[in-house]
Amino acid sequence: MPQKLTLEEINIALKSLTGWEYQNDFFIQHFVFKNFVDAFGFMSRVALLAEKMDHHPDWSNAYNRVVVKLRTHDAAGITEKDIKLAGLINQLS
């Protein structure tokens, strides 16, 4: 099982994760796209990546907006898996 990170480790990681915030034991980022198709395309790319990593985000979509929330549920908090996925998501956006 992945190990939950300390608040200090989380804060260090956030310095390298542009746009991500830490709220209520989740990494959260709000993405805005040109239109629904671009937002949905982004979600599709993230879905393929998440499936490959076997680490799936909580998220929502409304027209051109996507909110992504990351947390390792097995560890009840943030782990290295979340840091890695957040960085890869940033590369896709």
Side-chain angles (χ1 to χ4, degrees), residues 12-46:
I12 290 168
L14 282 173
K15 291 177 183 179
S16 67
L17 295 172
T18 304
W20 291 89
E21 299 175 0
Y22 178 67
Q23 296 177 3
N24 301 320
D25 270 344
F26 284 91
F27 277 169
I28 300 173
Q29 174 140 212
H30 299 254
F31 296 91
V32 178
F33 298 91
K34 183 178 175 185
N35 54 44
F36 176 76
V37 171
D38 289 348
F40 194 85
F42 167 75
M43 291 179 73
S44 296
R45 292 188 305 275
V46 171

Side-chain angles (χ1 to χ4, degrees), residues 3 7 13 22 25 27 31-32 35 49-50 53 57 60-61 63 69 77 79 89:
Q3 185 166 346
L7 185 55
Y22 178 67
D25 270 344
F27 277 169
F31 296 91
V32 178
N35 54 44
L49 179 64
M53 289 180 64
S60 62
N61 165 247
Y63 182 59
K69 296 173 66 176
T79 68
I89 289 171

Side-chain angles (χ1 to χ4, degrees), residues 55-68:
H55 190 57
H56 305 92
D58 294 343
W59 57 11
S60 62
N61 165 247
Y63 182 59
N64 68 333
R65 299 177 186 274
V66 177
V67 178
V68 179

